[in-house]
Every structure is written in C-alpha cells, then in structure tokens.
C-alpha cells in the first residue's frame, strides 16, 4: 500500500536554502523502523518549523497526480502539525520514498565505504510550490515532517550515533564482564543473560537501521526477519534466565509450566519470523511480549513472597522495560508528548533493565556465596565435632586411629621418624572419689592445656579415653619425644590444679614413649606405647619410660 503526502511551502527572499528531513522511526514491539527525511526551503528564521497543510491520502497512481479526476476516489485526511502517524501497511516491497518532482537527494559519507545514496534520505528543495511525497513500506510508519537546516541534520545524526554507541557499548561491556563470570563460575544464569543482552543489542542495531550504515544495499526484508529472530531469541533467553534465576522448577512449578508454554510459543514465533507476513509477526510478537512481561512480574512477585531477596532486582528490571514500552506506545497515540524520552523509551528501558539484571546476578552471587560459606562453616563444625573430644577440646580416639594409620604409612614409605607418647593421670579414680567428678573434669581440662603448651601445632594431641591421652610426634626421634614427655611431667607437678575454694590440688602422670620401628603396624605401635605406660605404673607412677630405656622420674 502506498501513501501520498501533499504539502506546500513558499520561500521568502533569496537566501540560501535549508533542509527538511523525515526523521522519525517506525517502531513497535516487533516492527521495523523506517526513517525518511524531507527538508523544506525557508529562511534561517523559519528553521525547525513544522510543515503545514499536510494531508494523508490512500493513493496508488503515478506521481504527480494528473487531473482532478485522479483524486476523486481518494480520501484525504488533514493532519495536525507534527502528527505522529501509526499506519498498518503491509506490502511485499522494500521501503522507498519518492518525490513527484526531480529533487536532488543529498548524500553523506557513511560510517564505512564510499559516498552512497543515504538509506535515510535528505532532499534539497530549491523551488517553492506543492510537492507530493510517496512512501512505500511493509511496516507500520511513525513520523513527523519538519523543516530544518543541513547543519542541524548533521548534528542530530551525530547525536543519534552517539546515543546508539553508548547503548551498544554498555551492552557490550556487560556481555564481556558476564562472559568472564560464566567462564569461571559455570553458572547457566550467565549464559541466558548473555543471550538476552546480546539479542537486545542485535535487535536495536537492526531496528535503528544501523546495518545500512555498513551495508547500504542490505535487504530490508532480511533485516526484518533478523530483527524478529533476535527478538524471539531474546525473549526465550529472558524466560530461561528467569526460570533458572528464580529456581522455578523447584520452587514454583505452576508458574514454571506457564514459562515453558511461552518458551514453546517463542520458538514458534522464531520459525514464523522467516515466512509469515510482517503484520502477522507483529501481532504474534505483541502477544508474546505482553505475556512474557506479565509472567516476569508475576514470577518475581511470587519469589519475593518466598523471601528470595534477589528477585527485587528482577522485578525492578522488568518494570523498567514495561515503563519504557508504555511511554513509547502512549506517545504513539498522543497520550504522552513525543520527545526523546518517549521516542527512545523502549531502548532506555532495555538499558536500565540490563543493568538491573546484572545487579540481580551479582546479588544472587553474594547470597549464594554467603549460603556456601555458612554451609561450609556448618560442615566444618560438624566435622570438627566428630573428631573432637567435647570436654577437653583435644582430638578424640576416632581421629587418633585415622591419624596414626596415616603417620605410620608415611613413616614406612618415606623412611621418616615417628614417635608416640601415651600418658595417664595417676590415681585418677581415687581423685574423682575424693574431689568429685566436676573437679575431675577440671583436672582433665587442666592436663589438656599443659599438653597443648608443651608440643608444636602440628603435633596431634588426643584423648584416648578416660584419663589416658596420646601425642603423635611426626618426624621426631625417641630422644626428642622423651624430652617432651619429661617437660609435660615437670609442668604438671609445677602447676597444680586450683579447686573451687582456691585450694591447690597436686597432680602427677605416668608417660610411656616409643619410636616407630619398620615394619610394625599402627596397632602394634600403640600396643608398645601402652605396654611402656603400664610398665611405668608398675614401677611406681609419676615417671617417663620407654621400652628401650631405664625409667626416669621419682618413685
């Protein structure tokens, strides 16, 4: 379908001409932007004035119309100045703009390549009169006509490129950052986020017509199909991101089923974008977009009710996109004024949403990190409890069994020294009978403190059972183990236990010391240490003894 726009404008004086431009974009949730420029002549004082006497006509004839009869069956609708027009046009032909008179079309140097005819045409009008402009497009049109100067056109174009560069650069930065996180974290949320942000960048790159800056001969129909493809991939990625981020398969199965339905619908739209007419694709993607945005808000709200804190970023992100889309749509129908905020509302919302979703991922990382740290602390606490004696804080017999086996195996394979010390508090049963079990517990704790102060940090001090203790001394010969044992015995005699009434209660201990001998087992080594301890008790207690030496201590 072709539409004709007729307008008249007269020149005042003989000053140099100024330019007019058709510069508004055709945009919808899934439509292709068409920007056409028409510039009128006037003096500098009339620059940036609206075009008057504009009429919209459904006309299919040649340009210019000849005779009054050619327009008899054509309905003409007068339009207010700078009226935003949204037309449902469906023709299988690329966008074209044609003037009724031979008018010079100004060419600018594109970003790449030689000087070519602009995909956004700028016409130079040198004569006063009435001109007919014919626009042909397979998409909806939204534009206004105004007259301006060529320098202003160039300034607007530079501002447009700067804005698009900032938007695409921001998305590229977010993609690089999240690519790094995906590489190290291996989290599927980042994969779907990259799909969504990348598709948004491609969508607006195509929708704003930037592809024609690099490939001026690029087919508008292919551009439209690729635009819808990017849109569908972005929606599918966003749905998958939301499912994974909010853990819907585990936490909200009802909403998750709705998400799966729209993912399938998105795949159908993806396939249809290459063979369905444009106006059908627009309707399909409008339903898909409205449904997915509603689902996003619903899922985020339900997640907040489950006290999933990162969902608040998700809700703010989708809300920003919805507000941007609504601002654009309402400006189309004249509810909101047409300005840079409403015209680029969809893109502004997309940029803000991408940032908020990135913050959502960061918040989710922090939340999961804290959960992992808490889980690790709890795991460590339970693991420590399983190998720690609750009364003294020393390792228990379970740990001794494992640690001694490892130490013996290491000493055998690497030909390393290993000594074992076994200790027993003398007459501890009688001590409990006299002083009570509470004081007895304090005596065990007092003895454990002396043991820890007498050895290195890497030496394993264990409570073997009751009043018996063991010390595993890796890389230490028998002589060094005997010195450690004698230091412990002397410290215990020198530091008696203080009772509840601040009375001094003396304690002594008997100690057996042995050195590992290849190829004996851990059990055999422990039995030799126990035999040495028993021998010390037989010899009068309060002494250090080894199976290879004469007892030391006092009878």
């Amino acid at each position: 379908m072709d539409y004709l726009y007729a307008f008249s404008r007269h020149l005042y004086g003989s000053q140099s001409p100024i330019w007019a431009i058709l510069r508004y974009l055709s945009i919808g949730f899934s439509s292709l932007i068409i920007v056409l420029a028409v510039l009128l002549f006037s003096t500098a004082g009339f620059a940036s004035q609206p075009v008057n006497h504009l009429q919209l006509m459904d006309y299919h004839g040649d340009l210019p119309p000849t005779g009054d009869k050619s327009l008899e069956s054509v309905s003409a609708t007068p339009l207010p100045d700078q009226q935003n027009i949204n037309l449902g046009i469906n023709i299988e032909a690329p966008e074209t703009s044609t003037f009724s008179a031979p008018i010079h079309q100004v060419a600018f140097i594109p970003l790449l390549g030689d000087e070519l005819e602009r995909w956004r045409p700028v016409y130079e009008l040198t004569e006063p009169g009435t001109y007919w402009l014919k626009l042909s497009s397979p998409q909806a049109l939204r534009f206004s006509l105004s007259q301006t100067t060529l320098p202003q056109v160039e300034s607007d174009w530079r501002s447009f490129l700067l804005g698009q560069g900032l938007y695409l650069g921001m998305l590229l930065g977010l993609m690089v950052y999240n690519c790094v996180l995906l590489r190290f974290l291996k989290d599927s949320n980042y994969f779907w986020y990259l799909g969504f942000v990348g598709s948004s960048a491609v969508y607006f790159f195509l929708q704003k017509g930037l592809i024609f800056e690099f490939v001026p001969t690029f087919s508008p129909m292919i551009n439209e199909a690729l635009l819808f493809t990017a849109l569908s991939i972005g929606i599918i990625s966003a749905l998958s991101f939301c499912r994974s981020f909010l853990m819907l398969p585990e936490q909200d199965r009802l909403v998750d089923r709705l998400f799966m339905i729209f993912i399938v619908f998105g795949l159908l739209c993806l396939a249809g974008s290459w063979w369905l007419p444009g106006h059908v694709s627009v309707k399909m993607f409008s339903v898909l977009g409205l449904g997915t945005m509603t689902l996003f808000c619903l899922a985020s709200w339900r997640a907040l009710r489950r006290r999933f804190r990162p969902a608040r970023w998700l809700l703010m992100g989708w809300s920003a996109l919805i507000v941007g889309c609504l601002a654009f749509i309402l400006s189309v129908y004249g509810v909101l004024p047409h300005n840079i905020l409403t015209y680029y509302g969809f893109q502004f919302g997309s940029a803000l949403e991408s940032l908020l979703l990135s913050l959502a991922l960061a918040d989710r990382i922090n939340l999961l990190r804290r959960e992992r740290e808490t889980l690790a602390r709890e795991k460590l606490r339970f693991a420590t409890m399983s190998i720690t004696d609750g009364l003294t804080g020393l390792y228990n017999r379970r740990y001794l069994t494992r640690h001694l086996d490892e130490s013996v195996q290491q000493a055998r394979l690497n030909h390393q020294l290993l000594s074992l010390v076994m200790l027993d508090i003398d007459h501890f049963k009688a001590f409990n009978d006299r002083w009570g079990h509470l004081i007895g517990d304090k005596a065990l704790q007092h003895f454990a403190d002396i043991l820890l102060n007498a050895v290195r940090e890497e030496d394993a001090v264990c409570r073997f059972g009751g009043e018996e203790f063991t010390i595993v001394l890796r890389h230490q010969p028998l002589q060094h183990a005997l010195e450690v044992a004698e230091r412990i015995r002397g410290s215990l005699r020198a530091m008696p236990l203080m009772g509840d009434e601040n009375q001094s209660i003396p304690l002594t201990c008997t100690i057996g010391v042995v050195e590992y001998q290849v190829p004996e087992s851990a059990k055999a080594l422990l039995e030799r240490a126990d035999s040495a301890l028993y021998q010390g008790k037989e010899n009068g207690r309060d002494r250090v003894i080894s199976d290879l030496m004469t007892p030391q201590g006092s009878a």
Side-chain angles (χ1 to χ4, degrees):
M1 181 179 296
D2 298 335
Y3 284 87
L4 290 182
Y5 302 89
F7 56 91
S8 61
R9 192 68 172 172
H10 297 280
L11 297 177
Y12 297 89
S14 59
Q15 301 178 10
S16 58
I18 65 172
W19 309 88
I21 182 171
L22 269 168
R23 40 177 298 212
Y24 286 90
L25 307 176
S26 161
I27 187 171
F29 192 67
S30 54
S31 64
L32 178 66
I33 293 184
I34 301 170
V35 179
L36 298 169
V38 179
L39 290 161
L40 303 176
F41 268 85
S42 182
T43 61
F46 288 90
S48 301
Q49 296 298 316
V51 176
N52 297 324
H53 314 301
L54 180 66
Q55 288 186 327
L56 170 64
M57 297 183 180
D58 185 359
Y59 177 68
H60 300 270
D62 297 329
L63 287 179
T66 57
D68 296 337
K69 292 184 178 180
S70 60
L71 299 178
E72 289 180 354
S73 61
V74 177
S75 59
T77 305
L79 299 176
D81 292 344
Q82 291 192 318
Q83 170 69 44
N84 295 325
I85 306 172
N86 191 19
L87 305 176
I89 305 174
N90 178 33
I91 63 170
E92 299 300 326
E95 293 80 7
T96 61
S97 60
T98 308
F99 264 106
S100 58
I103 301 174
H104 174 65
Q105 182 173 349
V106 179
F108 296 100
I109 298 177
L111 297 179
L112 296 177
D114 299 328
E115 185 175 301
L116 298 171
E117 183 176 297
R118 294 287 289 177
W119 66 276
R120 295 188 177 192
V122 177
Y123 292 101
E124 179 182 6
L125 305 183
T126 59
E127 298 294 336
T130 299
Y131 294 88
W132 293 81
L133 173 63
K134 178 181 179 181
L135 302 179
S136 301
S137 172
Q139 291 298 315
L141 294 176
R142 180 175 182 257
F143 62 90
S144 66
L145 295 178
S146 63
Q147 55 186 347
T148 183
T149 62
L150 183 57
Q152 184 62 42
V153 172
E154 294 175 336
S155 176
D156 291 345
W157 178 244
R158 286 193 298 270
S159 299
F160 169 78
L161 291 179
L162 176 61
Q164 297 305 311
L166 290 175
Y167 172 79
L168 296 175
M170 184 198 72
L171 294 192
L172 180 60
L174 289 173
M175 290 181 65
V176 171
Y177 170 70
N178 286 277
C179 273
V180 175
L181 294 179
L182 174 63
R183 169 67 177 80
F184 289 101
L185 297 179
K186 303 294 191 302
D187 190 337
S188 63
N189 288 289
Y190 291 94
F191 175 79
W192 296 119
Y193 176 80
L194 288 171
F196 170 71
V197 174
S199 299
S200 299
V202 173
Y203 171 80
F204 282 106
F205 182 82
L206 297 171
Q207 192 231 26
K208 297 300 180 184
L210 295 176
I211 185 64
F212 298 105
E213 287 295 314
F214 299 90
V215 187
T217 59
F218 194 75
S219 170
M221 303 307 295
I222 296 179
N223 182 81
E224 176 190 272
L226 290 176
L227 184 146
F228 284 132
T229 300
L231 187 60
S232 58
I233 292 176
I235 291 176
I236 293 171
S237 298
L239 288 166
S240 301
F241 171 81
C242 197
R243 285 187 69 235
S244 176
F245 185 88
L246 299 178
M247 298 174 287
L248 296 182
E250 299 83 14
Q251 302 294 333
D252 199 338
R253 294 185 178 181
L254 174 61
V255 175
D256 182 64
R257 284 193 288 269
L258 296 176
F259 268 72
M260 290 303 301
I261 291 173
F262 273 84
I263 288 176
V264 174
F265 185 35
L267 292 173
L268 295 176
C269 292
L270 173 62
S273 62
W274 288 90
W275 57 273
L276 288 176
H279 69 284
V280 177
S281 295
V282 168
K283 293 178 180 178
M284 291 180 62
F285 277 95
S286 297
V287 174
L288 178 62
L290 179 62
T292 52
M293 289 185 187
T294 303
L295 273 182
F296 291 148
C297 294
L298 174 63
S300 301
W301 176 72
R302 289 170 66 94
L304 283 175
R305 292 189 62 186
R306 298 196 303 270
R307 301 184 183 278
F308 185 63
R309 192 188 66 182
R312 70 183 190 274
W313 296 106
L314 222 61
L315 186 59
M316 287 189 291
W318 301 125
S319 298
L321 185 63
I322 291 173
V323 169
C325 291
L326 285 177
F328 172 77
I329 294 172
L330 292 177
S331 69
V332 170
Y333 293 100
V335 178
L336 293 179
H338 177 72
N339 52 43
I340 188 172
L341 294 178
T342 55
Y343 184 70
Y344 292 102
F346 189 15
Q347 201 164 6
F348 287 147
S350 172
L352 183 57
E353 179 196 31
S354 298
L355 285 173
L356 291 173
L357 292 187
S358 184
L359 292 176
L361 283 172
D363 192 24
R364 186 174 183 271
I365 289 176
N366 291 331
L367 180 62
L368 294 178
R369 177 179 56 82
R370 287 193 293 268
E371 290 179 352
R372 285 194 296 267
E373 290 176 352
T374 302
L375 182 62
R377 286 195 298 267
E378 289 298 312
K379 184 178 180 181
L380 179 62
R381 186 172 69 87
F382 285 119
T384 302
M385 289 175 58
S386 67
I387 59 173
T388 303
D389 176 62
L391 177 63
T392 62
L394 303 177
Y395 290 117
N396 57 20
R397 185 165 182 172
R398 176 185 299 174
Y399 178 83
L400 172 66
T401 302
R402 186 181 67 192
H403 182 73
L404 189 59
D405 286 338
E406 294 174 354
S407 301
V408 167
Q409 184 178 7
Q410 182 179 346
R412 182 189 305 120
L413 295 177
N414 300 327
H415 305 287
Q416 295 175 347
L417 297 173
L418 175 65
S419 297
L420 180 65
V421 180
M422 181 167 281
L423 313 94
D424 182 89
I425 299 178
D426 296 330
H427 306 294
F428 191 70
K429 184 177 184 305
F431 182 92
N432 274 336
D433 292 341
R434 177 182 177 183
W435 297 99
H437 288 282
L438 293 180
I439 299 298
D441 290 344
K442 289 185 178 181
L444 294 174
Q445 294 169 345
H446 177 66
F447 188 48
D449 291 338
I450 291 176
L451 296 180
L452 291 174
N453 291 329
V455 300
R456 305 168 301 176
E457 289 186 3
E458 60 266 31
D459 297 330
V461 182
C462 310
R463 184 182 180 188
F464 189 71
E467 71 275 17
E468 291 187 352
F469 298 81
T470 60
I471 304 175
V472 180
L473 301 173
R474 288 183 174 181
H475 312 293
Q476 300 298 328
L478 178 63
Q479 184 60 39
H480 179 79
L482 290 172
E483 293 174 0
V484 171
E486 186 60 36
R487 185 162 63 246
I488 292 172
R489 190 184 71 86
S491 297
L492 185 61
R493 289 178 62 90
M495 292 185 293
L497 175 69
M498 303 305 296
D500 291 338
E501 298 178 358
N502 207 28
Q503 69 272 38
S504 177
I505 305 174
L507 292 171
T508 62
C509 66
T510 302
I511 307 174
V513 183
V514 295
E515 185 178 10
Y516 174 70
Q517 298 176 357
V518 180
E520 70 179 336
S521 63
K523 181 180 179 182
L525 179 63
L526 191 61
E527 289 176 349
R528 282 203 300 121
D530 188 59
S531 296
L533 176 63
Y534 182 77
Q535 183 180 353
K537 290 182 178 182
E538 290 292 321
N539 292 339
R541 293 185 171 84
D542 189 19
R543 64 193 63 237
V544 176
I545 191 169
S546 169
D547 55 357
L548 301 178
M549 61 169 287
T550 304
Q552 297 181 7
S554 59

